[in-house]
Amino acid sequence: MQYKEKKSLSEIYSAWFFITLLPVFLAAWGRFGQKVPAALGLSLVTGLLIWIIGYRKNYVNQTFPGGLFCCFCLFVPLGMPLWLIPIALSGAWLIAITSFGSYSRNIFNPAALAIVILIAGYSTSVSPVSYT
């Protein structure tokens, strides 16, 4: 008789998280067009590269936090240039994750911190309102 390994609750919750986010992404794609999947792909690739670098430097000791990088592209304003996504995610990772040890030990949500970095540093290209 073979031993069947049980799945942990975090694996089950992450699967349900992505299943429940699918209609939200499809609705955003229908409303805002091709920039939503482009932002999603770019944030996932950036997150995967950040996670690989962190795994090699022993900053990360758990699985890839895909939900963090999937939710990020839903919160950013889609009027911004796409090249700001890797800059904001990398800056948030440097501040929130590496400063405090790991993904589970941070005091700031990295996605929220990335949006704060975008608004503080690149407010003219992120804001839909022109102040001139």
Side-chain angles (χ1 to χ4, degrees):
M1 193 161 116
Q2 291 181 344
Y3 176 71
K4 195 172 189 180
E5 188 175 326
K6 291 178 75 175
K7 289 187 177 183
S8 68
L9 280 177
S10 64
E11 292 175 350
I12 294 170
Y13 288 146
S14 66
W16 278 107
F17 180 74
F18 288 116
I19 290 171
T20 55
L21 268 185
L22 188 63
V24 174
F25 278 110
L26 291 176
W29 190 351
R31 172 77 169 96
F32 297 108
Q34 296 293 327
K35 202 154 188 184
V36 173
L40 174 64
L42 189 59
S43 66
L44 282 175
V45 167
T46 304
L48 188 62
L49 290 174
I50 287 171
W51 184 77
I52 289 171
I53 291 169
Y55 192 76
R56 296 182 114 204
K57 302 271 186 184
N58 293 327
Y59 289 126
V60 178
N61 56 3
Q62 60 188 26
T63 59
F64 175 67
L68 171 82
F69 298 106
C70 286
C71 286
F72 174 74
C73 68
L74 289 176
F75 298 133
V76 297
L78 292 173
M80 69 173 202
L82 289 176
W83 60 269
L84 289 175
I85 291 175
I87 291 173
L89 286 174
S90 302
W93 181 74
L94 283 172
I95 294 170
I97 305 296
T98 59
S99 308
F100 297 100
S102 178
Y103 279 104
S104 59
R105 297 183 190 143
N106 49 359
I107 61 172
F108 303 114
N109 184 350
L113 188 60
I115 292 173
V116 168
I117 290 171
L118 281 176
I119 291 172
Y122 303 98
S123 61
T124 57
S125 59
V126 172
S127 177
V129 179
S130 176
Y131 295 108
T132 57

